[in-house]
Amino acid sequence: AQKITQTQPGMFVQEKEAVTLDCTYDTSDQSYGLFWYKQPSSGEMIFLIYQGSYDEQNATEGRYSLNFQKARKSANLVISASQLGDSAMYFCAMREDSWDDMRFGAGTRLTVKP
Amino acid sequence: NAGVTQTPKFQVLKTGQSMTLQCAQDMNHEYMSWYRQDPGMGLRLIHYSVGAGITDQGEVPNGYNVSRSTTEDFPLRLLSAAPSQTSVYFCASSPHWGSGNETQYFGPGTRLLVL
């Protein structure tokens, strides 16, 4: 079964607007972490934001915020004030307490239009 | 502090050849892992290690071997390359889960083409 589901293969957003990238996950662990990574066309994986399952507040890092809804098992990434440089693949990932690995979703390709 | 380094950046192999992809980290991380990235598949875990001398299989381990003789190095070996192993390979490292910083740091990737 898929651990991490990203239902949007591609998204478009106008420059300076906000965009939400969806991520749902499946786990029976109580302790886990959720991550978002950005992969630009150059290919490197860039860490963006982390949310622990016990964190009561949504994580924020600059223009990135994570909309964490534990009961719904969703961890959506919100990018505010999109910039052209935000055009990239975005991956959601989860690391569970009971497993020493990290599982990734299939990714969402975001294109920011000028 | 170089972070996670990988060599080579790009490699072409013929079917049946063997090779080793190198990975090193200088952050004293306990956890290291190898992923492959295929179009439309995201990243899939091949093998991982929670410390020197300890390795385990991930989601897609067939055709690959690993060893972890030191904290710093985690090489990935392809014993007999197949066209299905054409992919981009990423090495990653992180502190141990539960340390308070579970972020994984990725190397720049190795692009492998098997003919």
Side-chain angles (χ1 to χ4, degrees):
Chain A
Q2 284 283 1
K3 287 271 189 179
I4 298 284
T5 303
Q6 294 180 254
T7 56
Q8 307 151 315
M11 289 280 287
F12 290 89
V13 66
Q14 208 66 36
E15 194 178 7
K16 299 179 185 173
E17 291 185 351
V19 63
T20 298
L21 306 184
D22 294 341
C23 174
T24 57
Y25 59 92
D26 181 29
T27 181
S28 55
D29 278 20
Q30 295 302 308
S31 177
Y32 52 90
L34 297 155
F35 303 80
W36 278 91
Y37 285 84
K38 173 184 178 181
Q39 187 178 43
S41 57
S42 51
E44 71 268 33
M45 295 289 288
I46 302 169
F47 165 74
L48 295 178
I49 197 166
Y50 165 77
Q51 177 87 41
S53 59
Y54 289 117
D55 294 340
E56 293 185 352
Q57 290 193 323
N58 287 342
T60 60
E61 289 285 350
R63 292 186 300 110
Y64 304 107
S65 61
L66 200 152
N67 185 358
F68 180 46
Q69 298 186 44
K70 195 169 181 177
R72 296 181 60 186
K73 294 188 176 178
S74 76
N76 299 339
L77 177 71
V78 180
I79 306 175
S80 64
S82 297
Q83 301 172 355
L84 296 178
D86 294 334
S87 293
M89 282 290 287
Y90 288 81
F91 292 97
C92 179
M94 176 175 64
R95 194 170 182 185
E96 299 169 283
D97 196 30
S98 59
W99 298 95
D100 273 314
D101 66 359
M102 182 181 275
R103 297 297 176 105
F104 284 78
T108 295
R109 182 171 296 281
L110 177 67
T111 302
V112 180
K113 295 181 174 179
Chain B
N1 192 334
V4 181
T5 58
Q6 290 183 239
T7 55
K9 285 189 168 57
F10 180 73
Q11 182 73 44
V12 180
L13 289 178
K14 293 181 180 177
T15 297
Q17 286 185 316
S18 63
M19 80 160 294
T20 299
L21 279 62
Q22 301 291 344
C23 175
Q25 52 93 8
D26 60 1
M27 297 174 281
N28 201 31
H29 285 164
E30 296 175 323
Y31 182 89
M32 296 186 74
S33 54
W34 276 101
Y35 295 86
R36 60 177 288 173
Q37 183 178 27
D38 303 305
M41 300 288 290
L43 277 78
R44 292 184 294 168
L45 183 67
I46 304 171
H47 285 285
Y48 65 95
S49 168
V50 298
I54 306 169
T55 63
D56 208 342
Q57 296 181 349
E59 189 181 355
V60 287
N62 292 341
Y64 307 95
N65 278 352
V66 292
S67 60
R68 183 98 178 267
S69 56
T70 67
T71 299
E72 294 78 20
D73 300 299
F74 191 44
L76 178 73
R77 279 183 288 276
L78 283 70
L79 299 177
S80 179
S84 61
Q85 293 179 304
T86 293
S87 189
V88 179
Y89 291 84
F90 287 98
C91 179
S93 76
S94 72
H96 184 67
W97 177 250
S99 65
N101 174 16
E102 283 75 31
T103 303
Q104 282 208 94
Y105 298 88
F106 283 81
T110 294
R111 189 173 296 273
L112 177 67
L113 174 63
V114 183
L115 301 175

